[in-house]
Amino acid sequence: MKRITPIVEGHGEVMAFPKLLYRLIGEAGADGKVTISNPIRIHRSVVNRSEVLRKSVQLAARSSDAILILVDSDDDCPAEKGPEIARIAQEIAGSKPCSFVFAHREYEAWFLAAVDSLALGTGTPTIPIAPDDPEAIRGVKEKLSKLLGINYAPTTHQDKFSSRFDLATAHRACRSFRKLVREFGEILARLGMPPGDWPPGSWGEG
């Protein structure tokens, strides 16, 4: 069985991101062929520091077949900074697949895109409507709290929502989520498990 180790930014992602990746593994038809290790945390402010990044990638590479790094972009432009960080990370990982993805602006933007799929069970009296461009929103957590009638907290809600939000809706609405799906598919392909229909046809263009 192949092993992928994520490197993430926040405490919430430590629990949440593996759940999302297992959903993608299921979509790819790779159940039982891939396992996700406990993520390594790296603070967003030090991602650009090569020595910290080097140690984290080297640690992940010791016990895994591939590495997937995910951090929030905040106000950085993913297209400007992402490729260089990805190049450095892959050089550190050597022959092992290593991908880098910015969640723009925050991981929670993917939830916001599919907020209607998260409303069930929250006590929200009406089905909330997602904004047209969820990745352009500042204060995504506050927006989620308002739309869902909750006090959103990553350590309380992020793992639950990662198991429930509609993947197809997020894929259509969020460029960074499409980037994640694409990079994960490439990792699976490099591990000898190319997804036959990736992303699934029902997810639309991306």
Side-chain angles (χ1 to χ4, degrees):
M1 182 179 292
K2 299 296 185 179
R3 181 178 296 274
I4 299 173
T5 297
I7 297 176
V8 299
E9 173 184 1
H11 290 286
E13 282 99 339
V14 171
M15 294 294 293
F17 195 41
K19 290 187 177 181
L20 174 54
L21 293 182
Y22 276 119
R23 292 182 70 188
L24 295 181
I25 288 170
E27 293 282 349
D31 287 318
K33 300 177 183 178
V34 185
T35 188
I36 305 299
S37 298
N38 291 331
I40 296 169
R41 283 192 65 230
I42 181 172
H43 198 277
R44 169 68 175 81
S45 64
V46 299
V47 168
N48 289 325
R49 300 180 189 176
S50 59
E51 187 56 33
V52 175
L53 183 63
R54 178 177 301 279
K55 289 181 179 178
S56 299
V57 173
Q58 287 176 337
L59 177 61
R62 288 175 192 158
S63 59
S64 61
D65 301 288
I67 303 103
L68 178 55
I69 307 168
L70 176 76
V71 297
D72 292 346
S73 69
D74 297 327
D75 289 328
D76 286 337
C77 175
E80 291 179 0
K81 293 198 171 184
E84 178 63 12
I85 298 174
R87 182 190 64 78
I88 293 171
Q90 183 59 77
E91 287 181 356
I92 297 168
S95 61
K96 294 187 176 182
C98 182
S99 292
F100 177 85
V101 177
F102 268 132
H104 189 58
R105 301 181 185 266
E106 301 177 56
Y107 187 110
E108 284 82 3
W110 304 340
F111 299 158
L112 188 58
V115 67
D116 59 329
S117 66
L118 298 173
L120 185 64
T122 63
T124 307
T126 58
I127 301 300
I129 299 175
D132 291 336
D133 187 359
E135 292 183 304
I137 301 292
R138 287 182 172 84
V140 174
K141 297 179 181 66
E142 292 77 9
K143 186 71 171 178
L144 274 174
S145 295
K146 181 178 180 179
L147 289 175
L148 294 174
I150 62 174
N151 184 18
Y152 178 86
T155 53
T156 301
H157 298 99
Q158 198 168 7
D159 64 330
K160 299 175 184 177
F161 287 1
S162 290
S163 299
R164 291 172 47 200
F165 79 100
D166 187 74
L167 301 178
T169 302
H171 190 262
R172 287 192 297 269
C174 297
R175 185 176 181 179
S176 65
F177 188 66
R178 293 196 294 272
K179 167 74 170 176
L180 171 67
V181 171
R182 185 169 60 251
E183 292 290 337
F184 193 66
E186 291 178 0
I187 285 177
L188 293 179
R190 290 183 63 184
L191 293 179
M193 294 168 285
D197 179 23
W198 192 257
S202 63
W203 288 14
E205 295 298 324

